[in-house]
Structures are given as structure tokens and as C-alpha cells.
Amino acid sequence: MIVLHEPKIIVLKARKVASTSFEIALSKFATENSIITPITENDENIRKELGFRGPQNYKYTDGESLVIDNPKDSKKFHDERDSFKFYNHISAENAKCRLGNVIWNSYTKISIIRNPFEYTVSIYFFLLSMQGKQPQDVNFEQWCLANQDKLSLNDDIYNIAGKNVIDIMLNYERLREDVCLLESRFGPLKGLADTFRGITAKAKIRPEYATVKYMFGQAPKARDFIADLHSESINKYKFKIP
């Protein structure tokens, strides 16, 4: 998550959509009052080498009480976030509660969305790598059908009470073009597109053979399941079904 007060934008960080590279690029335009949440050590090193501001203003101050805004998030908050007020992949609901209505209602909310079929393949290989497993260990179709929660990880970042709250949704499939349009809309972000083009965060985990066509060609039940699960975003953003 990053909040820039001069152009008045709140960027909520979705998963597996190049959001880390985007956030690093936005850090170039941060000031001392901006909110920047921590990312991984390797990615923080990229940000540091570029000379951009790192994590700041994301913890509760001494005068603030530590409050869990969303009961569903409380265990994760205590286990992983310690005393963080703002954190990586914070939900829209928690961001709104902690920023307050004045900032939330007057700032532009921005995020990135990806074709749900592309996202599914990406998150599948990412989570396998985190668990030290190989594709032959976990059947793709069975994994999809058994892990609806993993297929919907970004829903809480885009929505509050089932309603999409993002004002500008950048499309992963045309991200460079959309970043250029974003730069043209916000004067203080001049140079964002060029900065973003020069950043590649996160190692490539997904094998080259693992195209959406290949993966779902062998998993028709998973394809139908995801088409139904994400029918609203597929229709809204005109994503292709393999």
C-alpha cells in the first residue's frame, strides 16, 4: 500500500499483478508525509538502490491505540503485522477505517486487476514454490476446485461489503498503457511510466509452458468454476475465457 498526499491517491496492492514494481515506481514521488508499507527484503533493496523512499508512516504512533478493525483479519494481523497500522496487501475495509473518511472519500483509490485465469495460474505456481512443491505433486484442477479462497485473495482489496471501491482500476494486460494514462491524469506523477518500465520486481516463478490455454485445456472443471466465480469481473473488464 502507498498513499501519496500531493496527488491525493491511495494505491491498494493486489497480489500477482506486478503491484510490487508499480509500488516501487510510485515511491519515487513520495514525500515525508506519504505512507509506504514494507515489502520483501529483496524488493526493498531494489527500492533503496534506486534512491527512492522506503517504508514510512505505516506504524501506529505512540498516541494511537492498536485496534483490529476487521475480526477476520485479527489473527493474521497479530501473527504477521505486529503493531502495523498499514501493511502490504491491506484490505480496502481496513485501509478506509485506518485512514479515516476524510482522506478515503477525497482521495482517488487505485489498484491493478488481472484476468482471473492468468491470476489463477500465477498464484498456483507461486504458492507451490512457497511450499517447496512441484506441479506433479499437486494436480492443478483439483487445487483450483479446493482453494476458492486462494482464487479470491484480491476481493477484499477491491471491495467493501461486496461493492467495488476502486476509482481507477489498472488492467494488468495493458499495464504500461494504463500507467501512462495515470501519469497524464496526475501532474505530480510526471515520469512514472518511464520509471515503472525500468523496474522488474519478483523472480519469475511460473514456467514458460504454463500458459492459460495449456493449463485450463487440461482442467475444464476448473475453467468453468473460475468463470462462474469471477463472472462479474470477467463481464465488467471483458476478460477472455480460455
Side-chain angles (χ1 to χ4, degrees):
M1 176 188 182
I2 187 165
V3 179
L4 302 180
H5 294 295
E6 186 176 348
K8 292 188 175 182
I9 63 172
I10 301 166
V11 181
L12 295 172
K13 187 180 179 187
R15 299 167 178 84
K16 311 311 297 175
V17 294
S19 56
T20 298
S21 296
F22 184 54
E23 186 172 290
I24 291 173
L26 284 167
S27 301
K28 177 181 180 180
F29 306 92
T31 64
E32 63 180 358
N33 294 322
S34 301
I35 298 170
I36 305 173
T37 58
I39 47 182
T40 66
E41 182 178 355
N42 288 340
D43 295 327
E44 286 294 356
N45 288 336
I46 294 174
R47 182 148 59 185
K48 185 176 180 179
E49 289 172 2
L50 290 168
F52 301 162
R53 287 181 179 269
Q56 59 178 38
N57 302 320
Y58 63 94
K59 293 183 179 181
Y60 283 96
T61 63
D62 292 338
E64 293 175 319
S65 60
L66 192 155
V67 178
I68 303 302
D69 304 299
N70 185 345
K72 294 187 300 181
D73 199 41
S74 61
K75 183 178 186 299
K76 180 170 65 175
F77 185 94
H78 283 301
D79 289 349
E80 301 175 5
R81 313 303 184 181
D82 298 324
S83 60
F84 294 179
K85 182 177 182 180
F86 303 102
Y87 50 86
N88 206 21
H89 304 305
I90 189 172
S91 68
E93 182 178 3
N94 280 356
K96 178 182 179 180
C97 288
R98 299 175 188 195
L99 286 168
N101 286 333
V102 173
I103 289 178
W104 182 263
N105 293 333
S106 60
Y107 283 34
T108 301
K109 276 77 72 180
I110 301 168
S111 195
I112 305 172
I113 196 168
R114 188 175 189 177
N115 182 305
F117 297 97
E118 289 284 356
Y119 164 83
T120 298
V121 175
S122 183
I123 196 73
Y124 165 76
F125 281 103
F126 174 74
L127 293 177
L128 286 190
S129 71
M130 295 291 288
Q131 298 166 3
K133 295 180 179 180
Q134 298 297 322
Q136 57 267 29
D137 300 326
V138 183
N139 178 270
F140 176 66
E141 182 163 66
Q142 293 176 1
W143 181 88
C144 290
L145 297 176
N147 287 279
Q148 179 175 336
D149 59 328
K150 305 297 190 302
L151 305 181
S152 306
L153 282 174
N154 289 332
D155 286 2
D156 286 346
I157 295 170
Y158 304 141
N159 305 313
I160 296 178
K163 181 180 179 181
N164 191 303
V165 297
I166 304 301
D167 300 309
I168 298 178
M169 188 74 84
L170 308 180
N171 191 323
Y172 179 90
E173 276 68 37
R174 55 169 190 271
L175 191 51
R176 289 189 177 183
E177 177 184 343
D178 280 1
V179 171
C180 286
L181 292 173
L182 185 69
E183 176 186 330
S184 67
R185 178 168 175 174
F186 295 93
L189 298 181
K190 183 175 177 57
L192 173 63
D194 287 340
T195 303
F196 176 67
R197 274 193 290 268
I199 299 172
T200 306
K202 304 290 185 186
K204 185 175 176 59
I205 296 172
R206 178 175 166 179
E208 291 190 7
Y209 75 82
T211 63
V212 162
K213 182 178 180 180
Y214 174 81
M215 297 298 291
F216 286 98
Q218 304 178 73
K221 291 181 181 178
R223 179 197 61 214
D224 294 344
F225 178 67
I226 293 167
D228 180 63
L229 181 65
H230 293 288
S231 59
E232 185 175 343
S233 64
I234 289 171
N235 292 330
K236 181 175 182 177
Y237 299 105
K238 299 187 171 29
F239 289 130
K240 294 181 179 179
I241 299 176

